[in-house]
Amino acid sequence: MSTQYLNGEQACALAAQHYSDRLVYSPATASWIHQPVANAWGQAVQNQSTQSQPVSLLPNKNRQLSSALVSSTSLLAAIPYLYKLARDDQGAGSVVHVSAGNDKDVFADFSDVMAVRHSGLVLLTSSSVQEAYDLALVAHVAAVRTSKPFLHFFDSSRVAQEYTSITTLADDVLTQLLSAEDVAAFKSVEQDDTKPALTAYLKYQQQNANAVDVTAVVQQVMDQFAQLTGRQYSTAAYTGHKDADKVVVAMGAGANVVSHVIQALPDAKVGLLKIHLYRPLEDLVALVPASAKQLVVLEPSQDQTSTYNPLFLDVSAGFLEKEQVDLVSGLYGVTGADVSPASIHGLLSSITLDRRFEVAAVKPVAVDVVPAHAQQLVVAGASDQIHGFAQSFASQQVYTTHVHGQPVTHIRVSSQPTTFVPSLVADAQTVVLLTNSPAASFDALQRLSQGGKVVITSESALSNGVKRAIADKKATVVEYQAKATFLEQEQVIVVPVSEWANLSIEDVPQEQPAPAVQQDAPRLETPYLGLLNQVFGDRLDIVNAVNSSSVWSPSATNPERASPEYGYGKVLHKIQQRGRFIDQVEALIKNGLPADDQKLLSQWLLLAKSPSATVKQINDAANAVLAKPELVKLLPGHHDLLFVKSNWLLGSDSWAVDLGQSGVHHVITGGDNINMLVIDTQVYSSEEERELRKKDIGLYAMNFGNVYVASVAIYASYTGVLHALMEADAYPGPSIVLAYLPAVDNKIDSIASLKETKISVDNGAWPLYRWNPALEAQGKEPFSLDSQRVKRELEAFLKRENHFTQIVAQHPDLDRLLVSSLETDFQKRHAELKRKARDDYEKLLSGLGGANGPPLLVLFGSDNGNAEGVAKKIATRATSRGLQVKLMAMDDYEDIQELGNEANLVLVVSTAGQGELPSNGREFWKALNGFNPGDIQLSELNFAVFGMGDSHYWPREEDAMFYNRPGKLIDAKLSVLGANRLVELGLGDDQDADGFETALSAWEPDMWKSLGVKDVGGEEEPKLTDDQMKIDSNYLRGTIAQDLLDESTGAISEINGKLLKFHGSYGQDDRDIREERKKQGLEKAFSFMIRVRMPGGVSTPEQWLVMDELADQYANGAIKLTTRQAFQLHGILKKNLRSTIRGINHSLLSTLAACGDVNRNIMVTPVTEIPEVHAQVQEFSDKMMLHLAPQTTAYHEIWLADDLVAGHAVQDHEPIYGPTYLPRKFKIVVAVPPNNDVDIYAHDLGFIAIVEGKQVVGYNVTVGGGMGMTHGNKKTYPRPASMLGYVPADLAIKVSEAVMTTQRDYGCRTNRKHARFKYTIDDHGLDFIKGEIEKRSGYTFAPARAFEFKDNADRYGWTKGVDDKWHFCMFIENGKVKDFPDFPVRTGLRELAKWHKGEFRLSPNQHLVIANVPEADLEKTKLHLAKYKMDNLAFSGLRLNAMACVALPTCGLAMAESERYLPTLVGHLEQAIEEAGLRDDAITIRMTGCPNGCARPYLAELAFVGKAPGAYNVYLGGGHQGERLNKLFKESLREDEILATIKPIIKQYALERQQGEPFGDWVIRAGYVKKTITGLDFHDL
Ligand SMILES: Cc1cc2nc3c(=O)[nH]c(=O)nc-3n(C[C@H](O)[C@H](O)[C@H](O)COP(=O)(O)O)c2cc1C
Ligand code: SF4
């Protein structure tokens, strides 16, 4: 035996290594280990440090003696392994040593250990450092003797961090306790692998059958240990008065404090029942003196899942029969830094203790537990200093402890054998100040007895405050000498401290400043919380994560509150509470009540007890009870219990990391009616991220059969989420709703999160589904799939459960997608694409036939076709010159190493983003750039690069490097890699006179020359013009019909795509997921947009309902109201195109000529100031629309005829258009002053109604307005319409035809960019055009009549129409009719359409007029609008006047976000607007994703036009009446730059504007921009 100075962890580890073959530990517990490590039998102990869970490594087949050293904070994560260890033979003989606490400055915390008390391990606990050593040994020996795994635990604060001298055992003693023979016998027991695996239950039965008496074995080992060492332990033992009244039950260091106090009070009738063996727990009743009247169960654990703590419940269970014994539960540790002997004395002498109390709250009563021979010291100083200092006493008995994280150590020393109380020193004889820190010094001095001794290192190091504190204690101050002889040393008196008593004190510690309140992290879960609130309102009860800023940032002090365990406990408690409440109500009814009350309460009771009653029925009955206050008074508990709540546990994806630990498992298996909403913020868009996926909680839960499971995503399907929440609530058992909300860069940004959601749903990483076991009970299919792809695992589950076939039967479409799991689908598609590419190659080569000239590889990188066009031209020319040409996009050239085998390369690449590669060139560049010289052999390769860019795209000087960057990079890299440059790099610039052609025409001849090819040019293949295409199409038929039948692709051919526009539809692809799909070898996510032509934007309620239904059935669930008063549906798959168009036509709407080179939808002011005028202008437009509509029967033939026939024999005739239709789109509007809401100046042809009385007598006619232009191309520009003059109403249609045919005949047909009517007018002059129109119509324009526009905004709110009918113009941001969490507008309008008797009119600014509401329905309509918040017009003037185009993700031309971003930008600007006091001032603000200008940006007072992702050109100075173009103010600004630029301008405007001066006028007056007069000076800055 020897004495060693160790802390509890080291003592325990030492014991563990005595009896182990193997020690496993984590880096956090590595400090426990003693080196070198040999066991009692002289064998080296195998040390295994692991980053993962040490307990998981314990099981082993050959019965090695294994120990794990862990801290209890990691114990919960080990739960699954603990259970396994207990049930599995491979855990026999293992011991898990646990330092139990919570890493805080608390006395003790056994909560984590208590949480695993049911795991099946034997639990043994120690209460001092010596015990940690001794009982660790006992645990090992007993583990071998019982063949069971043990868990030995001790307090992490007191025992683990106390240093004290303990007696350790020599190997010869150790081997007496556990001999080599014993171990050999243990190891020789064979593991029977041949046994079939038993279910947990059978195993449990079997184990019980041959159960050993663990308690008896442990006690035997303890007794044997006592014989060898003289230290006697018991599994549980009573000490104290034999006739005690009050008995404390405790374990751990707390029990040790109690034991000291009881020893100090020999006469008091008190005792202690100290427990060492906690599981199995023996019968305690026999141990407690029969005299006991009160049992005080003390424990340092807080069980959130139950009212009382574990040990108390255990003890009470034993004393159930002993009614005379009062049991109380005391909590210590957990949050308190110390358990003082005085507080224990206080509770022992207290007459009344609450059933539940906290030891810290008990009034302390002094007690002296320190023997007279012991000295007590408190030392302030760094821990390493103190360690050395304290060790100097180690020849004596010494005990040191300290509070976690504080530089103050408490020491007890004695020259006699003794045990020390494990609490902090309260009255030290000596304080030693080894530090200058006043805080530590004050703490230490507080603990000094009056007149004690203070040891200092130097007087000068003491602050005045410390000196004063010393003086106040009337201490003797001595100088620190040699530590070895510290206690006996010569005492050198420093000064008479009385001199220090009057020093001024400036450093006495103030109250510690409270830690800065942590700013709440943005609550990631907010969108879902919003939904929960919306669906359940008052019924919602979120039971966990209380006081937490978020489930992602649990409360710092109570992190466990975020766990499902915590909430689960609370719900169980509530369920029990309610159960009791119901019983009590029943009793109340039985006892008799007034008849009415009796009836009300009985009704409630009946429903509350009925399994089939709905929540609504119960809550209605509860409200009826609540309405009788007298009755409520009689209720036994809180009346809240009358209601059925919707209980929700809110969790994060971290729960999925370890389902056992998170408590999810308990909730699932508990079977109680509780709902979990688990929000997953992980981004799964890339393959690597998918790999990282955590456990799938959904599959885990579905495997249990009786759990409702839904996987939803708010950004994919809002209604899907609502559905799931309601189903989960209704389901009577556990429900889990897995909700996706990807946090890109750790934040929820709606656009980025939306994109991520799409990608994950699209690729199946986040499938949308619902699994409702309640349906199965009704004989229905429980599984419904709401997205198109599923993961392989889900598919496997469905197959196994035989649901697969049903699903396929229900969704025939899904068959292919389901059968091919994600991975194989990718592979298959990829292989197909590769094969196709190879075939194309071969075709190309064989087509070249006799080509025997030099080989040429032409590669291009191009986003919008310019570079591709140049590359194609070069390839065609080369082919015709006999070269062997291969042409492809850079990324289609798969193996870059192959470049070494090519002879000649011409590479044409444009510039995207900010100096970036176009999307089909990125992989190529990445691979090429990855090579270093020597990695690839390119010496045989000749190359020529032509780059394409725009030198002014990023106009700031510092951004010059982005100009033509890809071309420059590739050219340089090829040269560095050793390839031979044929010609200097060519750089096409959009800014040159002829755009990139300027540089190309200089570069190309040199390139050909260097290739040795002469005479290029001349006989080019004639280009297929759009006119030729129209002629060939046979009046717009093309081969659309055949193409629709081709299921091999979701797209249609280029030509059919152009023709399709005339039929009202565009092919699009989802750009959010374009790149991801490309990476996976999938074709783009093609779909179609369908636009409905409806003059004046008028639709009947029936038509509205049809659109609403089609939106769900075939489109993406939203209806878009466009800037031109049309409906648009997006996301329609090719296979559904025909059904959708048929559906629209059945409702008597049409899509014909909604797009294309024809007259499109005619816009009309939807609400006129003189109500009678509307009908007249509407009728005029209807007639004009019919008059100008294309006459082709192709539309009917392709879309509406029952048989899909192609190339019909009927000879069509287009009387107005002819076979080539118009050169470009043509747009007509009708405005009724003072409203210019239709933006008359933005359109090809405009009619301004001239009204006399209530009669429209005629129109002023405008022509040549148009918005579209191209960035950097000054030949393109927007143009405000010009006035032609007045025409009487009856001649107006004739004039419209004349205008349109003038454009038909004079419009440019060679360059689509120059084909709009505005250019025709500027090319030919207004007078000529006017003359032409007059000639064709036979009418000479009269001078324009007077009119006045006020603005180009919508008229919001209620207005009165004719015949006592009313109109309400509501605000729908960007015309998006879709249910939003806080604005369920789609549902609201659908419900309204079911009974509304008037009509719906789409407004020109994307809002909606509920028109012609009969007076009788007015109130009802108002209530309905209010119910859905559709009457809300309380928006800023800025927002009410904002408009954005669709742009990303569907518009193929979009360069930046628009509709998804403008609301955010407006939000930012609103702040400045509010500050400037302009909240209600109308400033027109418009945004588009590209310069094409669909939202008419160039007429806005403030406009943003997309340039590249996140960057916009800013325009200022449009006229407030929509009459004047604005002007470019700044280029390519990002959000922060926009705000920094615009906010000060807004503020200045507020200060400087004149009465009524609009913003657009003021910015010109203030000199920010020049006034734009006509389109031709738009670019003059
Ligand atoms: C969104 C976008 C970003 C652009 N960024 C740059 C750039 O950073 N540097 C540059 O020189 N040209 C830039 N350009 C200009 C294009 O490279 C140029 O118009 C080219 O002709 C387009 O060719 P493509 O149609 O083959 O993609 C950009 C064009 C667009 C549409
Ligand atoms: S303005 Fe451009 S980005 Fe916006 S919808 Fe029109 S074409 Fe698309």
Side-chain angles (χ1 to χ4, degrees), residues 1066-1103:
Y1066 276 81
Q1068 307 186 314
D1069 78 284
D1070 191 330
R1071 295 176 56 183
D1072 284 348
I1073 53 179
R1074 198 188 263 181
E1075 289 205 15
E1076 170 68 13
R1077 290 182 68 102
K1078 188 174 153 216
K1079 272 191 227 147
Q1080 294 171 0
L1082 297 172
E1083 74 174 17
K1084 292 175 184 169
F1086 290 115
S1087 67
F1088 291 82
M1089 177 278 281
I1090 291 181
R1091 191 180 292 158
V1092 178
R1093 189 192 52 181
M1094 42 201 297
V1098 174
S1099 101
T1100 63
E1102 295 73 31
Q1103 288 168 335

Side-chain angles (χ1 to χ4, degrees), residues 1555-1567:
Q1555 181 74 32
E1557 186 180 24
F1559 182 71
D1561 293 356
W1562 174 82
V1563 284
I1564 294 169
R1565 186 167 69 81

Side-chain angles (χ1 to χ4, degrees), residues 712-739:
V712 299
I714 194 166
Y715 283 124
S717 168
Y718 166 81
T719 28
V721 184
L722 290 182
H723 247 106
L725 295 180
M726 288 189 263
E727 283 180 354
D729 174 59
Y731 183 70
S735 305
I736 298 185
V737 178
L738 304 164

Side-chain angles (χ1 to χ4, degrees), residues 999-1217:
L1000 184 64
S1001 50
W1003 177 84
E1004 222 189 314
D1006 288 349
M1007 189 268 293
W1008 291 123
K1009 216 155 93 197
S1010 67
L1011 274 173
V1013 179
K1014 295 191 193 91
D1015 314 328
V1016 174
E1019 68 305 356
E1020 296 271 313
E1021 276 183 13
K1023 199 176 157 216
L1024 177 66
T1025 61
D1026 277 31
D1027 275 358
Q1028 191 59 45
M1029 176 201 77
K1030 290 175 206 169
I1031 292 167
D1032 292 349
S1033 76
N1034 185 15
Y1035 294 93
L1036 309 179
R1037 280 179 181 75
T1039 53
I1040 295 176
Q1042 290 90 333
D1043 215 342
L1044 290 178
L1045 297 173
D1046 175 5
E1047 285 183 5
S1048 69
T1049 165
I1052 61 169
S1053 76
E1054 190 182 338
I1055 291 177
N1056 284 335
K1058 285 186 178 178
L1059 295 173
L1060 191 62
K1061 293 183 183 176
F1062 291 79
H1063 298 257
S1065 178
Y1066 276 81
Q1068 307 186 314
D1069 78 284
D1070 191 330
R1071 295 176 56 183
D1072 284 348
I1073 53 179
R1074 198 188 263 181
E1075 289 205 15
E1076 170 68 13
R1077 290 182 68 102
K1078 188 174 153 216
K1079 272 191 227 147
Q1080 294 171 0
L1082 297 172
E1083 74 174 17
K1084 292 175 184 169
F1086 290 115
S1087 67
F1088 291 82
M1089 177 278 281
I1090 291 181
R1091 191 180 292 158
V1092 178
R1093 189 192 52 181
M1094 42 201 297
V1098 174
S1099 101
T1100 63
E1102 295 73 31
Q1103 288 168 335
W1104 184 278
L1105 287 173
V1106 169
M1107 291 308 293
D1108 185 80
E1109 198 183 319
L1110 291 172
D1112 263 350
Q1113 203 175 354
Y1114 299 122
N1116 62 0
I1119 305 173
K1120 167 86 180 175
L1121 313 182
T1122 75
T1123 52
R1124 297 202 74 258
Q1125 290 183 300
F1127 286 133
Q1128 247 170 228
L1129 297 179
H1130 289 263
I1132 298 156
L1133 299 179
K1134 182 163 120 180
K1135 62 181 180 195
N1136 294 327
L1137 207 48
R1138 201 159 176 264
S1139 312
T1140 316
I1141 292 183
R1142 280 167 83 97
I1144 291 170
N1145 275 271
H1146 280 164
S1147 75
L1148 302 181
L1149 289 170
S1150 174
T1151 67
L1152 176 63
C1155 333
D1157 299 339
V1158 283
N1159 170 45
R1160 299 184 174 184
N1161 197 31
I1162 299 177
M1163 294 171 70
V1164 182
T1165 299
V1167 178
T1168 53
E1169 210 164 70
I1170 299 167
E1172 288 77 6
V1173 168
H1174 182 264
Q1176 301 169 53
V1177 285
Q1178 181 69 39
E1179 191 194 340
F1180 165 55
S1181 340
D1182 287 346
K1183 280 191 179 150
M1184 181 159 49
M1185 194 270 292
L1186 281 176
H1187 186 74
L1188 301 179
Q1191 301 298 310
T1192 174
T1193 57
Y1195 183 80
H1196 185 272
E1197 184 183 297
I1198 296 174
W1199 308 106
L1200 308 178
D1202 284 337
D1203 298 324
L1204 190 60
V1205 282
H1208 214 263
V1210 176
Q1211 188 48 54
D1212 277 307
H1213 174 60
E1214 287 285 8
I1216 297 185
Y1217 292 105

Side-chain angles (χ1 to χ4, degrees), residues 862-867 910-911 913 915 950 953-954 962 964 990 1507:
S862 172
D863 266 349
N864 294 311
N866 286 350
S910 67
T911 315
D950 179 341
Y953 211 88
W954 301 98
F962 299 127
N964 245 319
D990 288 355
K1507 190 101 196 259

